[in-house]
Amino acid sequence: MHMCLSRKITPTRIHRTLVILALALLTGCAGTPRPDDTGALFFPPPPDLPRLQYLTRFSTPSDVETESMGLRDFIVGEDSLGDHLVRKPFGVAMYDGKIYVADTRGHGYGIFDLKNKRTDLVQGSAGGAMKKPINITIDTDGTKYVTDTDRNQVLVFDVNDRFVRAIGTPDQFKPIDVLIVDDKLYVSDLYHHQIQVLDKAGGETLFTFGKAGSGDGELFQPTSLALGPDHSLYISDTGNFRIQKYSLDGKFIRGYGSVGDAVGHFARPKGIAVDREGRIYIIDAAFENVQILKNDGTPLMFFGKPGDKRGDINLPTEIVIDYDNLEYFQHYAAPGFNLEYVVLIASQFGINKVVAFGFGKMEGLNYDAAPQPAADTEDENKQ
């Protein structure tokens, strides 16, 4: 797979890349679509082959409730901040045509129902009332696991959004993310700088791994979790500016990156996702972009920038890859660009609360024959 590789990811380099992209779009590029301000927006920029396309965003009810869109926009304005379904998102997940967004300021999770063209907000009540929901993970049967950092518990809701139970005792953990693997729940614990592995049925702790530190197998402020196609666990070791890879029984395998401002380095890694080919997507909340690495750690490309234009992300937090709901996104893609999966990114600020990108290939272009990228040696040793 050919992707664009640029050595530096500072705001200056990002701006320069975007300028080059804009010039290329104005002049055209053989074999690549010619997007403009209202047309298709691809990454990487020409002359590289397009792999990711910005598709759409989900922020207000009018983004899915198409029948009322015209009247709502006329009354409150198309990009009214007050019309947002969620105000300060953190976690995002997708299940059965619905996008679920954990809203830290709205005390619940918003639902963008693409299937039925409606929206909803679930806040829970009584024992299920959410205070500061951070992340949301959905099981194959529709059961939702919501981490709440004010309650310091994992709250469980069923497929119909009814509260089931709360997991966690006082001082057990400060849960940030939950990863479901078979009959176990892997919970990142910000308090104890470790991963707690729980029995999914009963919620009891089976074992833990990791401890505070910066060495191999040590963690400091672990946040997001992801499962790779090789059934390895990937952890955003945010406080150590890196990603770590473990076996499911807690054995350290390897690390990715370190603190720095070059591709392959991080300032504030948070959300993480791994596709079926082993490509690792890593959000950097400081640079406000996403890096993509090969499974061996080789940088492939980065995309995203802060702002309120289409495709922009502002203080991004979580990322999820979805293969199961392409039918709700393909119509956003440019003609001939066939989606393989959708990438959803949550941002805490700006008008683009959840941004959807599509990973795929353009018909008629030979991706197999594309040359492999070479690293930019400019400032190679600077971090």
Side-chain angles (χ1 to χ4, degrees), residues 94 187 208 227 290:
M94 188 159 193
V187 182
T208 66
L227 185 68
V290 181

Side-chain angles (χ1 to χ4, degrees), residues 168-223:
T169 58
D171 301 321
Q172 178 179 345
F173 47 38
K174 192 178 188 71
I176 300 298
D177 197 9
V178 173
L179 177 68
I180 305 168
V181 183
D182 301 325
D183 59 351
K184 298 180 179 66
L185 304 177
Y186 289 73
V187 182
S188 55
D189 178 7
L190 205 65
Y191 267 162
H192 304 100
H193 309 287
Q194 64 182 7
I195 307 300
Q196 296 202 24
V197 184
L198 314 180
D199 175 66
K200 185 170 72 173
E204 300 85 6
T205 301
L206 301 175
F207 62 95
T208 66
F209 61 91
K211 64 178 181 178
S214 58
D216 290 347
E218 296 177 337
L219 300 165
F220 192 73
Q221 297 180 337
T223 53

